[in-house]
Amino acid sequence: MVAAVRFALAVRNGIMLLAEPGRKVEDAGGSLASGLNDAGNAASNVPLVGGILKKPLQSAAEASNGLSDAGQSMQDIVGRLANLTAFALIVTSVAFVLALWLPPRVRWIRRSALIRGLVDAPGGADLLALRALTGSVADLAAVSVPPGGLADAWRRGDESVIGDLSRVALRQAGLSP
């Protein structure tokens, strides 16, 4: 999940690079508007025609402000797209991981709870011992074999063998004895 989040953030940062032209348009529009306003103010000081010269320069400055606003709007759209893409990637990745991991984990928790319940139930140790006897032979190697074998000792109700086999069954289920 951490890798998915890092990937989504890297994609987001890559998309945010597309906002750079918008920043440049905003800066250029702002600089142009400022320059045209300054020129209009300077032109207004010209005798007789200053007012006439100032009007077109101020109109051009207002148009430049619109250009600056368009650059800012482009940045906002790219930012929203980048955030939405990152969110979608994170949600999809997390949902995928949970869909693969969660069901087996829930089954294991339920099975473990049932097995843990057998430990304290009457005859539960016998059932766990039987489970160990019918399980992997390699796991039984840890249990010392009494005369007559493990199955015979289990049938006779040998508490020591039943306890050892119960612990083997718990380890097979991934539980600590």
Side-chain angles (χ1 to χ4, degrees):
M1 284 191 214
V2 170
V5 170
R6 285 187 178 171
F7 175 73
L9 292 177
V11 168
R12 180 194 176 280
N13 291 340
I15 292 172
M16 286 303 291
L17 294 175
L18 297 174
E20 186 60 30
R23 278 189 276 284
K24 289 181 179 180
V25 167
E26 181 184 15
D27 291 344
S31 296
L32 184 60
S34 175
L36 288 171
N37 271 330
D38 291 345
N41 290 336
S44 67
N45 294 332
V46 174
L48 298 174
V49 290
I52 296 172
L53 291 176
K54 183 178 180 180
K55 266 189 172 177
L57 291 172
Q58 283 181 333
S59 295
E62 288 176 13
S64 296
N65 282 332
L67 185 64
S68 178
D69 292 343
Q72 178 60 46
S73 177
M74 181 180 175
Q75 291 177 67
D76 293 343
I77 289 170
V78 169
R80 276 189 239 128
L81 176 66
N83 290 335
L84 182 62
T85 302
F87 178 76
L89 285 172
I90 290 170
V91 167
T92 303
S93 301
V94 168
F96 182 72
V97 167
L98 288 178
L100 291 178
W101 176 79
L102 197 56
R105 183 68 179 163
V106 169
R107 282 192 301 273
W108 181 84
I109 290 170
R110 286 182 179 165
R111 187 180 68 235
S112 298
L114 289 172
I115 291 172
R116 277 282 179 208
L118 284 177
V119 172
D120 298 327
D126 282 331
L127 287 174
L128 287 174
L130 179 60
R131 181 182 176 123
L133 283 172
T134 60
S136 170
V137 176
D139 293 336
L140 295 177
V143 179
S144 61
V145 180
L150 291 172
D152 183 54
W154 171 75
R155 274 194 237 69
R156 284 181 290 134
D158 185 332
E159 294 296 323
S160 172
V161 170
I162 290 174
D164 290 344
L165 290 172
S166 294
R167 284 187 284 284
V168 168
L170 288 172
R171 277 194 301 275
Q172 286 173 341
L175 300 171
S176 59

